[in-house]
Amino acid sequence: MAKQYDILFRLLLLGDSGVGKTCMLRRFAEGEFDPSHISTIGVDFKMKTLVIDGIRVRVQIWDTAGQERYQTITKQYYRRAQGIVFVYDITDEPSFLHIGKWASDVDEYAPEKVQMILVGNKADNEPKRRVTKAQGSKLAEAYGMEFFEASASTSRNIKESFTRVTELVLQAYKNDVDHLLGSLDDYLDRAALQDQKDDQDASRTCAC
Ligand SMILES: Nc1nc2c(ncn2[C@@H]2O[C@H](COP(=O)(O)OP(=O)(O)OP(=O)(O)O)[C@@H](O)[C@H]2O)c(=O)[nH]1
């Protein structure tokens, strides 16, 4: 059977417990929102395929536990990540203030080329907001990251955030991708040939 994707990247969700990492991932991968909070134990992951510049990118998104006691386990996943989504909760200032700590861990353990974005989740809950959009934006700028306010509850900017970090990873790893795929034109030619071959194989199978 033809491969369902061209390249696989690993993304990591990082942030304090309760900021909504699992909910964001479920919203993105399954289109669902479950308001019950069951803390992630260690790590969990979901897969999703995105098509960017004609390349089928399979993303394996690792959802890490925000709780301190799992940090030894979760840190082992940093070095295998190409993209990081830092998440804080706009209704919880400490989760915003802790982004610096998450970022310094990444600095220590993740590959140099890792691509990062900052997301302020729960942006649907305006009455309880404790972190302004300007504060989020300023922090992201200080770290040289792109910034989104999002909501797993309403879907706002969920797909956009995950797609953007994947685009950044694809750009950063472009040379490696080209090495793996050949030039894009060659790759598309090969993909077209493969499609033709698959069609022929299918019609042969049907004729039997
Ligand atoms: N209003 C609102 N609540 C949200 C949103 N996303 C998550 N929540 C709530 O926040 C709580 C925690 O969400 P989780 O996704 O479990 O948090 P987490 O970051 O994965 O937590 P850990 O697994 O402990 O690290 C849940 O009770 C959700 O209902 C959102 O976008 N808006």
Side-chain angles (χ1 to χ4, degrees), residues 101-119:
K101 175 218 154 243
W102 291 107
S104 69
D105 284 350
V106 164
D107 209 26
E108 191 171 343
Y109 297 103
E112 217 172 292
K113 265 204 305 193
V114 76
Q115 299 297 300
M116 301 170 284
I117 63 163
L118 179 65
V119 176

Side-chain angles (χ1 to χ4, degrees), residues 1 7 29 39-40 52 68-69 91 95-96 103 109 119 136 203 208:
M1 206 173 85
I7 192 101
S39 268
T40 306
I52 298 173
E68 186 71 38
R69 63 182 139 148
T91 71
S95 73
F96 174 70
Y109 297 103
V119 176
S203 61
C208 292

Side-chain angles (χ1 to χ4, degrees), residues 15-24 33-41 63-67 87 89 91 121-125 150-155 158:
D16 281 6
S17 178
V19 296
K21 300 181 297 296
T22 303
C23 289
M24 285 175 59
F33 177 71
D34 176 1
S36 60
H37 174 54
I38 301 165
S39 268
T40 306
I41 298 171
D63 175 20
T64 64
Q67 289 181 19
V87 185
D89 171 353
T91 71
N121 188 39
K122 308 195 189 179
D124 56 283
N125 200 349
S151 165
S153 169
T154 66
S155 295
I158 295 295

Side-chain angles (χ1 to χ4, degrees), residues 43-178:
V43 287
D44 195 6
F45 77 89
K46 291 194 190 303
M47 311 284 290
K48 181 99 178 165
T49 304
L50 301 169
V51 180
I52 298 173
D53 295 338
I55 299 174
R56 295 168 304 176
V57 185
R58 187 100 169 125
V59 278
Q60 193 179 58
I61 309 168
W62 290 88
D63 175 20
T64 64
Q67 289 181 19
E68 186 71 38
R69 63 182 139 148
Y70 297 115
Q71 299 303 294
T72 321
I73 305 171
T74 55
K75 276 178 191 155
Q76 294 172 17
Y77 290 80
Y78 289 28
R79 68 184 171 80
R80 293 172 64 203
Q82 285 91 29
I84 309 257
V85 180
F86 291 109
V87 185
Y88 68 90
D89 171 353
I90 67 139
T91 71
D92 177 57
E93 197 182 16
S95 73
F96 174 70
L97 298 174
H98 291 159
I99 291 294
K101 175 218 154 243
W102 291 107
S104 69
D105 284 350
V106 164
D107 209 26
E108 191 171 343
Y109 297 103
E112 217 172 292
K113 265 204 305 193
V114 76
Q115 299 297 300
M116 301 170 284
I117 63 163
L118 179 65
V119 176
N121 188 39
K122 308 195 189 179
D124 56 283
N125 200 349
E126 205 54 55
K128 291 199 174 155
R129 180 189 279 276
R130 297 289 175 273
V131 183
T132 66
K133 193 172 177 186
Q135 284 175 296
S137 192
K138 200 172 162 198
L139 183 70
E141 205 183 314
Y143 282 106
M145 296 183 219
E146 290 189 27
F147 171 63
F148 295 86
E149 279 201 343
S151 165
S153 169
T154 66
S155 295
R156 177 181 156 197
N157 274 342
I158 295 295
K159 187 171 172 224
E160 289 77 359
S161 305
F162 285 107
T163 303
R164 186 59 190 143
V165 70
T166 309
E167 283 171 356
L168 292 171
V169 168
L170 194 56
Q171 279 166 20
Y173 288 80
K174 186 90 182 64
N175 291 339
D176 307 357
V177 170
D178 283 347

